Amino acid sequence: MELSRPHRLGRRAFSALAGTTVLGLALGGSVSSAALPYSGPGPVPTGPPPGPPGADGRRHRVALDRYSLLVDGRRLALWSGEMHPFRLPSPSLWRDVLQKLRAYGHNAVGVRLAWNQHSPAPGAYDFTGVRDLDLFLRTAAECGLYVVLHPGPYIGADVDAGGLPGWLTTVGARARTTDPAYLRHADEWLSRVNAIVARHQFTRGSGTVLLYRADTPERGDLDHLRERLRADGIEVPLLHADSPLAWEEPERTRDAAEARRLHFARLAHGSTLHNVHMAFGGTSWGWLPAPSAPSPTYDPTAAIDEARRPTAKLAPLHQLGHLLRHVPDFTRMTQAPAIRAADARIRVRRLVNPDTGAQAYVLRNDSAADVTSTVPMGGTEVEVTVPARDAKLLATGLHLGAGRTLAYATVQPMLALSVGKLDIAAFVGRAGEMAHLVLDCPNEPWPTRLDEEAAWTFDHGKLHVMVPLKEDRLTRVRVRSGETDRTLLLLFADDAASLRLWPYETPSGRVLVRGPELLREAALDGPVIRLTGATVDERELEVWAPPGITDVTWNGERVQSGLGRALSLMTVWPLPGVPDLVLPALDGWRRRTENFEREPDYGDEGWPVADRRTSHSTTPVPDGRPVLFADDYGFHYGDVWYRARLTGAFGLESVSLSYSTGAHGLLMAWLDGEPLGSHRPDGAGDGKGTWTATADFRLPRALRARGGDNNAPAVLSVLVRRTQHGQDAYRAARGLTSARFEGAAPDVRWRIMGAAAPDPVRGPLNHGGLYGERHGWHLPGYDDTAWEPGSPSAAPDGDRRQGVTWYRTTFRLDVPPEIDASVGLVLDGSPDLDLRVQVFLNGWNMGEYVGGAEGTPRTFVLPNGILRTRAAANTLALAVLSPGTAAPALGPVRLELLGSAAGGVPVKPVPSPGRRR
């Protein structure tokens, strides 16, 4: 059962169950004095949301009713953006992404923890360095974000085995069941996590962990988990498959229009527990990705991409997040009687707030053409255009300040807030459309056009404002009247301009900033507002702040400003953009070939003997043959080598090697150092992440006389790549599964070798069993002076050898400290190259390039922290696997600037231990 599926309890049945009383901890959290059901008279009314969360030292109450979460008696529409800390192995950059999530409208971050990242062996756990959960939770609190924690044990997420550790395949435990052997290990994992999480619970005031998600595929699991959490001191509510408010796991969306359709549809069904999957995708580096992950880039359509840049899908998420935060009407909406558009191609869902009377309309057009139709809104037939395969969210009845109510608008509300005696309301739409907004005004107002695009008219108590939305342009209209001293400022923006509107809540009041590409923080200090953020292009800066604020600083520097017509502080000169950066060329390469393991006299005496006869794998062990599965010998990730001594092999004609891998598996074989060939599995696997195949090799006549009674045993050497485990069948075998010989019946003695002991800093998923990895060729400080000069861009045409070739070089960057530069490594060769490339930066495995595979990446993001950007040396190593059909040449290999901004977060270098001498 998928935990995050929508709850199937019907709204009518749920309403009967809930009535108007609060369900308190019906989410399943353990009972505590900090999280009791709301006991006030009647339902909690619509009102201002709770302020931004933090580790404030005060006890807090968390409950829910059929509308929303309730935090200290206030309604909260949760707008969570998911990120996985383990997919960004640079703790300094966690702050960058978390600050962006908050700036883009999120009030919570959804976090999954991968058990396999923290546990290299039974009973061994590591929460330091890039696995420092305590640091991440502290940072989230400092950034003012709630945390929704999902520690598994199973998390899915296209992670090897769904996050289960490799060693779990060998202990006889049936994962995701009530098997006592499994629960014993799962309890140990959760207890280690909970010991940290308990210190960061929002209910205790010591952090911002608000909700705890559970992996409970069976009812017995849920009962057991509740006991586990109670024993570990976890008191925040528990989300599970039968929670009254469902934590839905929406499918990924490809573009802005699809994102609008998805999230507006959830809003139309009354959901106030929202999650964006993924808000930041990051990198499935090393051997982290499951077979279901097509590339190291995890979710390239995420709102913030792998290089930490905004994507085209971000605008609607930014707009909706701030709407849910700054327009409290949306926290208590119920479905209203249906209405119809004049054109049936537009489907309409209507919601109403029983406290305020405000109504929301979700208009959806699934047709292939733009549709213009009239829709009854607020007692008026309003003409609206909905683009093809898109959606709109419109509203009526919103209170926009003293005596002003929104009658209707053809554009979406984004925010409504008050700053001093100024009420500000922002509305957004697509560039090129005409925005039509109508205000109910009992008395004739005094509008002022602050930008030339706007026009208006007043008729029968209604102010009509018309604004053509232009690309990346904000239009402002000021509205005053004689009945109040409060001024209403209307802002109209297209998607691009909306991404430069930044509301921010300070302890002294709200502010609104316009202009820069990012606002990280705002602080009021006497008459000064201190802003930190980032710019890419030159941008004017406009600030609406509480009375008494007369000066502005930007990233610590005072900027000259004055009062503008929109009652804002406007900078006299634009903020500077980011300067151009020049990246170094990659040269000075050195190369060396390996796979010494193919040679018959290679010393494998220290390798484990593969002679087991039973296995906990779901893959059957061949009758009368030894277990060859890599996991059974402790090799769970990366490449695995096998060596077999064949005695009595005279006349051997062929060798058949059956093997099992994840996606893009590969096998290479040699007999007495001579290549037999390479092989790949065909087809789409078994649907659960496993590809099986049998490689049949006929021996050349010259090799058939090996292994006779009077000769030394023949040596068969086999390299198997891609031992990743499927999410649904994690115990399926990886590596060789059996071997068959024709023409002779030799006595066979197998040995096996994979990755060396897990790197204590980089973790168990960083490296595999290649000779170069086992001997530190990928690490900084390795002495490669004896290697021959040679570039991966070109190799001698005659160098068509089956096996592994390594390339190494060093380079330096000197990025100014105030610049946040995202750098990638680009492999510019032909996508049809039949090669596999493992990319290592300063010893960190950044992922694999698979030549000829559909959708394979050509650019590898090199995260700052692992990448030294401040006048320090970086070591780049490439391990190239070639089947022998082509030379191990990749074409041009270069660095590319993926994005840069003036104004980043301080970045500490991530430890990168070098070669031990």
Side-chain angles (χ1 to χ4, degrees), residues 705-764:
R706 304 295 175 92
D709 293 336
N710 298 322
N711 299 315
V715 177
L716 175 67
S717 302
V718 183
L719 174 64
V720 181
R721 153 150 293 214
R722 205 81 183 196
T723 59
Q724 59 187 178
H725 306 83
Q727 296 186 109
D728 298 326
Y730 74 101
R731 287 194 297 157
R734 289 298 181 260
L736 285 182
T737 55
S738 68
R740 188 178 72 254
F741 304 94
E742 298 290 340
D747 178 63
V748 184
R749 293 290 183 267
W750 288 96
R751 290 183 183 268
I752 183 173
M753 178 55 71
D759 187 314
V761 173
R762 301 176 181 94

Side-chain angles (χ1 to χ4, degrees), residues 589-593 787-790 795-796 799 805-808 888:
W589 291 93
R590 307 187 76 83
R591 61 170 258 165
R592 188 180 183 186
T593 59
W787 292 20
E788 64 177 340
D799 190 12
T805 303
W806 284 77
Y807 297 91
R808 282 173 55 96

Side-chain angles (χ1 to χ4, degrees), residues 69 109 115 130 161 189 239 339 384 407 426 491 522-523 640 651 677 701 716 730 738 794 809 830:
L69 285 169
V109 56
W115 185 1
V130 298
W189 157 246
L239 288 173
I339 59 174
V384 178
L491 307 178
V640 179
R701 184 173 299 276
L716 175 67
Y730 74 101
S738 68
T809 189
S830 169

Side-chain angles (χ1 to χ4, degrees), residues 223-392:
D223 295 337
H224 179 87
L225 180 63
R226 283 181 173 138
E227 294 177 4
R228 172 79 274 146
L229 298 183
R230 188 178 298 114
D232 291 341
I234 300 300
E235 60 186 36
V236 296
L238 171 65
L239 288 173
H240 53 84
D242 294 322
S243 299
L245 282 183
W247 179 267
E248 298 184 27
E249 192 68 26
E251 63 271 21
R252 298 174 187 172
T253 54
R254 293 168 294 182
D255 53 32
E258 199 171 82
R260 275 188 287 267
R261 293 204 309 273
L262 173 69
H263 292 287
F264 290 174
R266 295 195 62 218
L267 192 69
H269 283 88
S271 175
T272 56
L273 204 61
H274 301 271
N275 183 51
V276 175
H277 176 83
M278 297 289 300
F280 168 76
T283 304
S284 296
W285 55 281
W287 296 106
L288 178 67
S292 52
S295 76
T297 300
Y298 187 62
D299 193 0
T301 66
I304 303 171
D305 73 8
E306 188 183 9
R308 299 176 289 112
R309 304 168 299 184
T311 68
K313 197 174 74 177
L314 181 60
L317 306 179
H318 175 73
Q319 296 159 6
L320 184 53
H322 285 298
L323 173 70
L324 295 174
R325 173 67 194 171
H326 297 285
V327 183
D329 304 73
F330 285 85
T331 60
R332 192 173 181 229
M333 286 282 188
T334 187
Q335 291 185 19
I339 59 174
R340 295 180 181 273
D343 191 317
R345 289 176 295 175
I346 295 181
R347 293 184 291 162
V348 184
R349 300 290 294 270
R350 183 163 65 110
L351 304 170
V352 62
N353 184 299
D355 298 327
T356 66
Q359 298 189 54
Y361 303 79
V362 173
L363 283 57
R364 178 163 173 156
N365 173 17
D366 289 330
S367 74
D370 296 356
V371 176
T372 299
S373 177
T374 57
V375 179
M377 293 171 51
T380 303
E381 292 290 328
V382 180
E383 185 176 272
V384 178
T385 298
V386 183
R389 297 188 178 91
D390 209 330
K392 278 194 170 184

Side-chain angles (χ1 to χ4, degrees), residues 152-170:
Y154 174 88
I155 61 170
D158 291 323
V159 174
D160 186 281
L164 302 175
W167 55 260
L168 197 65
T169 63
T170 66

